[in-house]
Amino acid sequence: MTQLKKLVLLIDDDSICNSVNQILIKKKFKDDSSCEMDIVTFQKPLEGFAFLLKLLESEVYKKILIILDINMPLMTGWEFLDEYARIPKSSTNVNIIMVSSSVYQSDIERANNNVNVEEFISKPITNENVANMYRKMCV
């Protein structure tokens, strides 16, 4: 059986954040041929959520890491998490990291208390954050 690939799903309404995060992640993961990784970005969380649903049904990926912004129009990161909590779990390992420029302690506590959120990161994502993502996905 072929080992299934891994996916990083970047969901942020700011295209610059998505681009910078994608560059940082590609730079860290590029030299590891044993950790085949795809990166997909969405500026619209509803489209990202629909994409995720299809992936979970098809079980194409072994692991999915979602980097999810909190403050977005039409669907916030919190609403995304609410919808995610309602879907049946699949055999795909999904890890969600919330990212935000929010300095509100209530946002940090809410993220840390959500069972589906593995970590809260204050923007911008750093090389150290990406190294931790690499360990979660590839080690």
Side-chain angles (χ1 to χ4, degrees):
M1 180 178 179
T2 306
Q3 182 169 353
L4 299 175
K5 295 189 298 182
K6 298 161 186 78
L7 172 72
V8 175
L9 187 57
L10 299 169
I11 303 175
D12 193 320
D13 61 311
D14 184 337
S15 63
I16 294 172
C17 282
N18 277 338
S19 295
V20 169
N21 292 340
Q22 188 171 14
I23 290 166
L24 286 171
I25 291 167
K26 280 183 179 179
K27 182 178 176 184
K28 177 65 181 173
F29 288 77
K30 73 175 180 171
D31 295 329
D32 188 349
S33 61
S34 68
C35 187
E36 191 174 350
M37 178 80 54
D38 291 332
I39 302 172
V40 178
T41 63
F42 287 94
Q43 285 180 260
K44 297 178 180 176
L46 288 169
E47 291 175 3
F49 188 78
F51 181 76
L52 176 64
L53 286 177
K54 288 180 184 174
L55 292 178
L56 293 176
E57 288 173 8
S58 66
E59 297 185 350
V60 171
Y61 291 96
K62 177 181 178 180
K63 290 184 179 180
I64 299 174
L65 176 63
I66 302 171
I67 311 299
L68 180 65
D69 187 23
I70 291 177
N71 297 310
M72 297 179 284
L74 302 179
M75 178 186 236
T76 67
W78 304 123
E79 292 165 331
F80 184 101
L81 288 171
D82 290 343
E83 291 301 314
Y84 177 77
R86 291 183 183 100
I87 61 175
K89 299 305 174 224
S90 75
S91 63
T92 303
N93 181 357
V94 177
N95 295 307
I96 301 174
I97 296 175
M98 297 290 292
V99 295
S100 181
S101 55
S102 172
V103 293
Y104 295 114
Q105 187 62 32
S106 60
D107 281 341
I108 297 167
E109 289 173 8
R110 187 173 176 188
N112 289 333
N113 290 325
N114 188 300
V115 296
N116 291 310
V117 175
E118 186 168 315
E119 183 179 359
F120 177 91
I121 296 174
S122 294
K123 287 183 179 179
I125 290 177
T126 65
N127 284 326
E128 183 180 334
N129 298 138
V130 174
N132 288 335
M133 291 174 201
Y134 174 82
R135 284 190 287 280
K136 289 176 186 159
M137 295 297 283
C138 300
V139 178

